[in-house]
Amino acid sequence: MRQWTVDAFAAAPFRGNPACVVEPFDVWPDAGWMQALAMENNQAETAFLRRTADPARFDLRWFTPTMEVELCGHATLASAHVLFAELGVAADALTFETLSGPLIVRRDGEGYAMDFPADPPKRTDVPEGLAEALGIEPVEVWAARYVVALLPDAATVRGLTPDIGALHRIAGEATGGKGNIVVAALSDVPACDVVDRFFAPGSGVAEDPATGSAHCILAPLYADRLGRAEVRFLQAFPGRGGDILTRMQGDRVILGGRAVTTVEARLRLAPRSTAA
């Protein structure tokens, strides 16, 4: 089997967020085997695809090094890139059946556009201990799947060195979820509208370089604040950074970005199959 490493939400290598994408299967491997391979890859996500009778429709699952997750934008983008650019699927659009429902990815110029469900946040009180964990008092706090802390300015977002363990606990208690948090502020550069970062200890990743699911929350929040459907985000992971364009479309978010293949590998092992 082949496997590709793809930098997603990036126009050039070594930016955006790397994801491993395994060549599509006809039958799902055993979940424990998939988890073990994701741990071996040690990337934020490893994506696994299963063929269907429709050549433009695939089942898709995502694994971090520690768990299977319900939604991952950058690994969906990476999967579409592999199918289009590496395996030559001729369709203009792909549909992925996932734990979050069907996700559609279309060719869009030099990049791709992904149709994801929006996750509008609600304003909430500042959780106890959050300011101490961040090292700065948030201007506002919102919550959806993840906690969203709005900070005073983009420079503060870039310079943040939070207590990851404390964030995990506080965000988990605030959302009743895994314990992940997004921080964001209006941009200080003309190339984008918002600068953000995503700390994901609840998903086994201290900080993620470019995160589609986080922008399903940020897109409706900032579209409302800026008074327009389209918002340009820079996820300012130190040393990399990812460029994500969002456009609100009813209760959906169109996530736009490019992707670059950096590695093609051949796996020297046979998967354990499952009847599921």
Side-chain angles (χ1 to χ4, degrees):
M1 293 181 301
R2 288 176 294 174
Q3 176 178 274
W4 295 265
T5 303
V6 175
D7 287 344
F9 294 117
F14 314 127
R15 296 195 75 250
N17 199 353
C20 293
V21 181
V22 182
E23 191 169 6
F25 295 92
D26 292 319
V27 177
W28 280 130
D30 175 75
W33 184 90
M34 290 191 281
Q35 185 63 74
L37 179 57
M39 185 181 298
E40 181 81 5
N41 285 330
N42 200 32
Q43 297 290 357
E45 304 285 346
T46 296
F48 296 89
L49 296 159
R50 182 172 65 173
R51 298 179 185 88
T52 71
D54 182 343
R57 185 179 290 268
F58 293 81
D59 297 327
L60 173 61
R61 295 168 71 177
W62 310 279
F63 287 77
T64 76
T66 62
M67 68 182 68
E68 184 172 6
V69 296
E70 295 182 356
L71 182 64
C72 180
H74 87 277
T76 303
L77 183 64
S79 298
H81 175 76
V82 163
L83 292 167
F84 282 135
E86 304 297 340
L87 295 177
V89 174
D92 290 327
L94 297 168
T95 300
F96 296 106
E97 295 293 342
T98 78
L99 290 174
S100 292
L103 305 176
I104 298 172
V105 184
R106 293 181 171 84
R107 300 177 192 264
D108 185 21
E110 295 182 331
Y112 308 98
M114 303 190 295
D115 184 341
F116 272 40
D119 190 10
K122 295 182 179 179
R123 182 81 180 266
T124 188
D125 295 334
V126 178
E128 185 178 352
L130 181 59
E132 291 77 11
L134 289 172
I136 184 76
E137 183 72 34
V139 176
E140 297 175 13
V141 174
W142 296 68
R145 177 186 285 109
Y146 314 133
V147 169
V148 179
L150 304 188
L151 302 186
D153 51 56
T156 301
V157 171
R158 291 190 183 94
L160 209 62
T161 55
D163 181 335
I164 298 296
L167 288 184
H168 183 192
R169 176 184 57 77
I170 294 165
E173 291 173 354
T175 62
K178 293 176 179 176
N180 298 329
I181 184 167
V182 190
V183 297
L186 291 174
S187 175
D188 52 1
V189 295
C192 65
D193 301 306
V194 179
V195 173
D196 63 82
R197 291 170 68 184
F198 180 51
F199 302 99
S203 298
V205 181
E207 182 173 0
D208 200 43
T211 315
S213 60
H215 291 84
C216 292
I217 302 172
L218 292 175
L221 176 62
Y222 277 99
D224 182 64
R225 294 202 159 207
L226 296 174
R228 48 186 162 85
E230 191 168 285
V231 183
R232 301 166 299 168
F233 291 90
L234 170 64
Q235 190 164 332
F237 182 86
R240 293 187 71 96
D243 303 306
I244 303 172
L245 178 67
T246 70
R247 185 174 73 255
M248 291 302 301
Q249 200 167 83
D251 62 353
R252 308 288 292 182
V253 179
I254 307 303
L255 298 168
R258 296 173 67 179
V260 180
T261 303
T262 58
V263 178
E264 180 178 353
R266 188 167 297 276
L267 299 178
R268 294 187 176 183
L269 69 166
R272 296 197 306 269
S273 294
T274 177

